[in-house]
Amino acid sequence: MALAQFSGLPASAVKQNLIELEITGDPGAAFAGDCRILTAGKLEKRYRIQGKTPAKYWLPAEAIRCSFEKSSLNLRLIGRISRGGVVELRQESPPPMRWLSMISIGPWGAAKGAASAARPLWQ
């Protein structure tokens, strides 16, 4: 399964069950991290994601868990998880926090997020 990053959502993707992951904040802020993607009847898979803000990804998944590290403590990252046009979670990692972590609604319960100075334990 490949992660898709597009400037616009293709028409064929509208028919699929996709989670939209958007990373914004300070323009050009670099980030890198992992997303664990859960799909029906399959084991959770881990994918490495890195980029610069703004970035948008459409993930073919039932649920996701992501943690991103900022390239600089002075930058701000904002993560948003949406499904079907409905925002499940918006989480900000302001300076001086280094990590942005987010979990969508899924088998583990409600969506939640955190900003932290150290790598999160629940990634």
Side-chain angles (χ1 to χ4, degrees):
M1 170 178 27
L3 302 181
Q5 180 179 14
F6 304 100
S7 59
L9 185 60
S12 61
V14 174
K15 296 178 183 176
Q16 298 177 13
N17 183 25
L18 299 176
I19 294 176
E20 179 182 324
L21 171 65
E22 184 174 16
I23 309 294
T24 60
D26 292 332
F31 62 90
D34 297 313
C35 275
R36 296 178 185 272
I37 297 175
L38 182 65
T39 55
K42 297 184 180 177
L43 295 176
E44 188 176 83
K45 291 187 178 183
R46 182 178 144 207
Y47 292 92
R48 184 84 175 146
I49 296 179
Q50 60 186 23
K52 292 183 179 183
T53 61
K56 193 178 285 190
Y57 304 89
W58 285 272
L59 310 172
E62 288 188 11
I64 61 172
R65 299 185 299 155
C66 301
S67 294
F68 299 107
E69 182 178 19
K70 300 186 287 190
S71 62
S72 169
L73 294 178
N74 297 325
L75 299 174
R76 180 176 56 104
L77 284 184
I78 300 168
R80 188 183 66 151
I81 296 174
S82 303
R83 189 185 328 235
V86 176
V87 176
E88 290 184 4
L89 177 72
R90 182 188 180 278
Q91 180 66 47
E92 182 174 346
S93 179
M97 298 300 171
R98 180 171 294 279
W99 288 87
L100 170 67
S101 301
M102 301 176 296
I103 297 177
S104 71
I105 295 170
W108 40 73
K112 64 181 178 177
S116 58
R119 187 177 187 104
L121 296 175
W122 50 271
Q123 56 176 336

